[in-house]
């Protein structure tokens, strides 16, 4: 198995070396806005533990990510009045993983509205900030 690379973008965000729009944080996880969202309100749930993906993640990290993913799924659904939520998690390049730090995508969904392309265009900072605030407000109510 390939070793964890501490220079990945999520490790840098966790260390405060790169900016992000944080919507939720606890002792084990961080939830941030995806800068190339496939849907408005697309967030990423990241464990604070240094793990490449599901194959090397400690059980406690997986549990924490699952619980935060559920919390964020409820929040993004409420914040965007979505009809549903898509949750995705990729492992290794052949499985579609692009950033090699475990992370889960949570995207609000609407009937008949397709997701934008994976690794598409970067969203404007002000849109990400506005969407992050909507999610933070929804989190207060759940």
């Amino acid at each position: 198995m390939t070793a964890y690379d501490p220079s990945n973008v999520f490790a840098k965000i966790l260390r405060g070396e790169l900016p992000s729009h944080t919507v939720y944080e606890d002792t084990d996880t961080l939830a941030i806005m995806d800068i190339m969202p496939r849907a408005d309100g697309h967030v990423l749930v990241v464990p604070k533990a240094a793990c490449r993906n599901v194959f090397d993640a400690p059980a406690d990290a997986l549990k924490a990510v699952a619980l935060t993913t559920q919390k964020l799924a409820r929040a993004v659904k409420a914040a965007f009045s979505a009809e549903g939520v898509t949750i995705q998690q990729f492992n290794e390049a052949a499985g579609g993983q692009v950033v090699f730090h475990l992370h889960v995508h949570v995207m609000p969904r609407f009937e008949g509205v397709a997701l934008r392309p994976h690794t598409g265009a970067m969203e404007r900072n002000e849109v990400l900030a506005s969407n992050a605030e909507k999610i933070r407000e929804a989190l207060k109510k759940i």
Side-chain angles (χ1 to χ4, degrees), residues 6 14 20 23 32 45-46 50-51 59 77 84 94 99 103-104 110 123 128-129 137:
L14 288 165
S20 66
V23 297
I32 59 176
V45 176
V46 181
C51 48
K77 185 175 184 294
V99 177
H103 60 285
V104 175
F110 300 88
E123 184 60 86
L128 293 173
E137 286 301 313

Side-chain angles (χ1 to χ4, degrees), residues 35-139:
I35 63 169
M36 291 184 282
R38 299 192 64 203
D40 292 340
H42 181 168
V43 298
L44 302 170
V45 176
V46 181
K48 290 183 178 179
C51 48
R52 184 175 167 88
N53 51 40
V54 72
F55 299 119
D56 68 342
D60 288 348
L62 288 174
K63 179 180 177 182
V65 166
L67 292 171
T68 299
T69 297
Q70 181 184 51
K71 182 181 297 242
L72 268 293
R74 290 174 175 153
V76 299
K77 185 175 184 294
F80 293 89
S81 300
E83 298 169 344
V85 175
T86 292
I87 296 171
Q88 294 180 318
Q89 196 277 315
F90 305 96
N91 299 281
E92 296 299 338
Q97 188 175 10
V98 176
V99 177
F100 295 94
H101 181 107
L102 177 68
H103 60 285
V104 175
H105 299 258
V106 181
M107 297 165 277
R109 298 298 305 276
F110 300 88
E111 192 68 40
V113 179
L115 290 173
R116 295 189 285 265
H118 185 55
T119 65
M122 288 185 68
E123 184 60 86
R124 295 186 331 270
N125 191 54
E126 58 272 13
V127 173
L128 293 173
S130 174
N131 288 344
E133 184 57 29
K134 287 178 188 176
I135 296 166
R136 285 191 291 268
E137 286 301 313
L139 281 165

